[in-house]
Every structure is written in structure tokens, then in C-alpha cells.
Amino acid sequence: MRHDDLVQYVEDLVEDSPVDLQQLIERGDSEDARIRAAVEAVGWQHDRVYPLSGFTHASAVLRPPQVIAVGLNYAAHSSELNLKTDNSPTLFSLWTNSLAGHGGTTTWPRSLSESIDYEAELGVIIGRPAKNVSREDALDYVFGYTVVNDITARDIQYSEAQWTRCKSFDGFTPTGPLVVTRDEIADPQNLHVGTVLDGHVMQDSDTSHMVRSVAVLIEQISRSITLLPGTLISTGSPGGAGYSRDPQVFLRDRSTVTVSVEGIGELTTHCRMI
């Protein structure tokens, strides 16, 4: 492609480019293919590291139509919380005000809770409407994967009948730092999941220990609701929560917590309790 043609091609692409990930997903596979073709045309090298200095991370998802969290999806975590894993998935919503980006600071009032816990989770982003999807076909409906820290006020969790508020304080759902498209993850049930809090390893597991796989979750959830494009499903956390430790370990003022999922990246959150 001649230089002038390449410049015009890039200008046209930028003018009509998606404003965010949600719009990219909503435009469908043809838009994804267009962006990939443009990347190849301008010579972007997949094996080269491109510096992002001067940028800050937003939440990996900004306008999801739904944020669905799955509780008690690892037997070890259910046991350490003294909660029973049911025959059907334990589901609850997370409010979008809780979304936050990698490297940000999450702040909460001491007067509300001093029992703030971490939960490293694999996040699944739906790519097209999914209704009554079979587990065999379920992964075809996935756009990509990200990392989620499902931060939780444990004292509120155990004092209320539902779990939405205790996990939906402002900034309590950091996501990112990246979204990895589904073709980059050969098997979502074979990924290491971990948490490091202030330099100490707190969670060290992998997604093979899920009670319900990603495919089974999509099948079961889509029986009752249509999973819309851009929906984020946070698939549950393995054992190692701070609440269950003796002595208990919680996020404190000026703590730094990093949760990670193999093949996606490390998501760091700085904490301030005021």
C-alpha cells in the first residue's frame, strides 16, 4: 500500500473507529475483522512491546449492560466462608459505579467497614446475544476475558440477605488491565489465578477448580436471561480469602493488592481507608 493510501486508510479508520470496547463489541465480528485488518496494514507487530507511558487505565469494561457475579464457584472458597455451594449457581449483580481501572486507588469510609477483602476472579465478556446456549457452543459467544478483583465488605456481606451492596462500593470492582480476545485463551479452565497483598501471596490456584466451568455458567445463566453483548461475568474466586485466615487479613489504609490471571495480566489496586 502506497504511503498516501495508507495515511488515508488510517484517517478513515480513526474517523469511524469505536469510541470504546462496548461499541466495538456491539458492532459485531465484522468490526473486529476490520480493526484486525487495519492493525496488519499499518505494520503493528504482535510480538513487540509498545510502551503506554503517560496513559492511565480505565475499567476494562465501561458501559456493560450487565455485571453478573458468581458466588461460591470454587469449593475451597465456599468452605472457608462456611457457605454451601448450591446445585444452581449463586448469582448477584454488581453496580457499575464499582468499576475501576488498573493502578487506581479505591477509597472507602472506615465508618462503613474495616473488613474489606480481596477476591481474584476470571472475568468473561460476552460478545453476542446468548439465550438458551448449550455448554458445547457457549465459548463461541465469548468476546474475551479480563481480570476482576471482587472486593468485598465481609461484615456487610454477613449482615444482609443479599451480596450486591457489600461488593458494590465505589471502586470495589477493578477490572483489567487488558481484555484478551477469546482466540488468545485456548482453555479458560486452565489458567492460574492469584493474589498478592502487600508483597504476600494470598491466593494461588487455577480455574480448573471451578465448580462450574465458564461454558456451564453461560449455559445455566442464559436459560433465564439473555446475556447481552458486553455483559461481564465475574466467575468466582478460589480459596485464600483474608476473612478465613487466622488471624484475619483485610485490605487496610495504603494496602496494595494485585490479582492476576494467567494469559491476561496483573491488576493492581491501591487502597485508602478514610
Side-chain angles (χ1 to χ4, degrees), residues 124-233:
V124 178
I125 301 170
I126 298 296
R128 56 194 176 100
K131 177 66 175 177
N132 292 323
V133 174
S134 70
R135 67 189 66 183
E136 292 77 17
D137 297 331
L139 296 186
D140 293 337
Y141 289 79
V142 172
F143 174 83
Y145 301 92
T146 192
V147 185
V148 178
N149 188 353
D150 182 23
I151 300 175
T152 306
R154 293 294 185 200
D155 48 354
I156 294 176
Q157 180 181 23
Y158 282 93
S159 67
E160 297 181 351
Q162 51 75 38
W163 294 356
T164 296
R165 187 170 79 95
C166 70
K167 294 172 176 282
S168 291
F169 287 22
D170 291 345
F172 266 29
T173 313
T175 70
L178 303 172
V179 173
V180 176
T181 51
R182 71 172 184 269
D183 58 300
E184 298 289 338
I185 301 293
D187 182 4
Q189 304 311 138
N190 186 31
L191 304 173
H192 178 264
V193 180
T195 297
V196 175
L197 173 60
D198 295 331
H200 301 284
V201 175
M202 310 302 286
Q203 292 183 293
D204 184 9
S205 186
D206 65 77
T207 55
S208 67
H209 297 298
M210 283 185 184
V211 176
R212 297 172 187 83
S213 68
V214 171
V216 170
L217 287 171
I218 293 172
E219 177 189 65
Q220 293 183 332
I221 298 171
S222 70
R223 288 174 183 168
S224 54
I225 67 170
T226 300
L227 293 169
L228 300 173
T231 294
L232 172 65
I233 303 174

Side-chain angles (χ1 to χ4, degrees), residues 9-215:
Y9 179 72
V10 172
E11 289 178 349
D12 292 343
L13 176 70
V14 169
E15 182 177 352
D16 190 39
S17 64
V19 297
D20 58 15
L21 180 67
Q22 183 62 30
Q23 191 173 85
L24 171 64
I25 295 172
E26 289 173 349
R27 289 185 179 182
D29 291 342
S30 60
E31 181 70 359
D32 183 61
R34 188 175 77 96
I35 297 297
R36 289 175 183 267
V39 168
E40 296 297 332
V42 299
W44 185 284
Q45 299 176 29
H46 295 285
D47 58 351
R48 178 181 171 188
V49 176
Y50 290 83
L52 295 176
S53 58
F55 291 88
T56 57
H57 289 266
S59 171
V61 291
L62 291 174
R63 299 185 295 114
Q66 302 155 321
V67 181
I68 300 172
V70 182
L72 312 180
N73 201 33
Y74 288 76
H77 188 52
S78 302
S79 177
E80 70 185 3
L81 296 180
N82 295 315
L83 296 170
K84 180 179 178 294
T85 299
D86 295 323
N87 292 329
S88 55
T90 298
L91 305 177
F92 52 95
S93 295
L94 298 175
W95 297 327
T96 55
N97 61 279
S98 68
L99 295 172
H102 165 67
T105 299
T106 291
T107 302
W108 67 91
R110 187 186 305 269
S111 59
L112 281 180
S113 178
E114 295 188 52
S115 303
I116 307 298
D117 212 345
Y118 50 83
E119 290 188 1
E121 307 198 8
L122 170 66
V124 178
I125 301 170
I126 298 296
R128 56 194 176 100
K131 177 66 175 177
N132 292 323
V133 174
S134 70
R135 67 189 66 183
E136 292 77 17
D137 297 331
L139 296 186
D140 293 337
Y141 289 79
V142 172
F143 174 83
Y145 301 92
T146 192
V147 185
V148 178
N149 188 353
D150 182 23
I151 300 175
T152 306
R154 293 294 185 200
D155 48 354
I156 294 176
Q157 180 181 23
Y158 282 93
S159 67
E160 297 181 351
Q162 51 75 38
W163 294 356
T164 296
R165 187 170 79 95
C166 70
K167 294 172 176 282
S168 291
F169 287 22
D170 291 345
F172 266 29
T173 313
T175 70
L178 303 172
V179 173
V180 176
T181 51
R182 71 172 184 269
D183 58 300
E184 298 289 338
I185 301 293
D187 182 4
Q189 304 311 138
N190 186 31
L191 304 173
H192 178 264
V193 180
T195 297
V196 175
L197 173 60
D198 295 331
H200 301 284
V201 175
M202 310 302 286
Q203 292 183 293
D204 184 9
S205 186
D206 65 77
T207 55
S208 67
H209 297 298
M210 283 185 184
V211 176
R212 297 172 187 83
S213 68
V214 171

